[in-house]
Amino acid sequence: MPPAPRWSRETIPLPKHGLRVAVVADTHSHPHRLALPMIASHHPDMILHAGDIGKLHVLDSLSEIAPLISVRGNIDDRGSGLPDFVTIDVMTGDDIRSRWLLTHIAVNGPKLKGPIRKLAKEQDVQLVVCGHSHVPLIVRDGNVGVFNPGSIGPRRFTLPITFGMIELSETGLRLNHYCCETGEPWRPPGMH
């Protein structure tokens, strides 16, 4: 019988200027050589790592840029103490402005897996942030946004090497991908 998943809950105050969160996943011990300076150039208030970290020194490098919240991926050791799920409440005063769920494996193609969909509904989550597939993804599944930043680790097949940015302001939530090799915004081929 597999061990019960580990949970964590984080609270982030929403700054008056808005919140800028860099999102990475699937570093597999070797982030792209340009990833960290490119992430730093976006001046994030926080960084989320959606698992498959590999060697934990990767987290040290990221946390030098901004405060870091991370989860364990399927290649990461359970002994690392990393949670499997983190619920993140972005707060304006005493009010929850937005609630996110950070985990590693959450989707099957563009849809949330059944248990994650159920969990997102139970937790009243607006956004699920995940990794695992190395495929950059921004979709809606019902009332829940789904964001996979892609991977900043070693290239898999012909997939791009990307990270994501979440920006939350008075006007709402904006999600984007950036190419680690060029620094330019990344869009799927054929989308401009």
Side-chain angles (χ1 to χ4, degrees):
M1 181 176 204
R6 292 185 180 144
W7 280 85
S8 179
R9 182 173 289 278
E10 298 284 341
T11 301
I12 304 170
L14 178 62
K16 289 186 181 187
H17 66 271
L19 183 67
R20 295 177 54 79
V21 180
V23 185
V24 301
D26 299 283
T27 47
H28 291 268
S29 302
H30 302 286
H32 187 277
R33 63 183 180 79
L34 298 176
L36 298 180
M38 288 205 185
I39 291 166
S41 75
H42 286 265
H43 307 287
D45 299 300
M46 171 150 294
I47 299 174
L48 305 180
H49 195 308
D52 274 4
I53 298 157
K55 294 184 180 161
L56 294 180
H57 68 80
V58 169
L59 299 180
D60 296 334
S61 300
L62 288 165
S63 65
E64 289 174 10
I65 298 169
L68 176 68
I69 298 172
S70 54
V71 292
R72 185 181 74 81
N74 58 296
I75 71 157
D76 299 319
D77 184 10
R78 287 197 70 74
S80 66
L82 292 167
D84 299 294
F85 299 97
V86 178
T87 304
I88 301 168
D89 290 331
V90 182
M91 307 292 291
T92 303
D94 292 333
D95 297 323
I96 298 172
R97 174 65 192 281
S98 190
R99 179 172 285 160
W100 307 339
L101 177 66
L102 176 65
T103 191
H104 184 58
I105 301 174
V107 295
N108 184 8
K111 297 288 186 184
L112 289 169
K113 290 177 173 260
I116 300 297
R117 183 180 302 109
K118 181 179 180 215
L119 189 58
K121 185 174 182 177
E122 289 171 358
Q123 297 280 319
D124 193 25
V125 166
Q126 287 81 46
L127 181 67
V128 173
V129 179
C130 60
H132 186 61
S133 69
H134 296 225
V135 178
L137 179 69
I138 301 173
V139 295
R140 288 199 69 73
D141 187 349
N143 294 328
V144 180
V146 182
F147 188 45
N148 185 325
S151 168
I152 64 169
R155 187 180 309 278
R156 179 185 282 180
F157 311 116
T158 60
L159 293 172
I161 300 173
T162 59
F163 66 94
M165 289 295 299
I166 301 172
E167 295 180 65
L168 179 62
S169 67
E170 290 302 318
T171 59
L173 195 63
R174 226 171 59 196
L175 307 172
N176 289 295
H177 292 104
Y178 291 89
C179 176
C180 284
E181 296 167 300
T182 65
E184 297 296 316
W186 181 87
R187 305 268 185 279
M191 303 284 290
H192 299 287

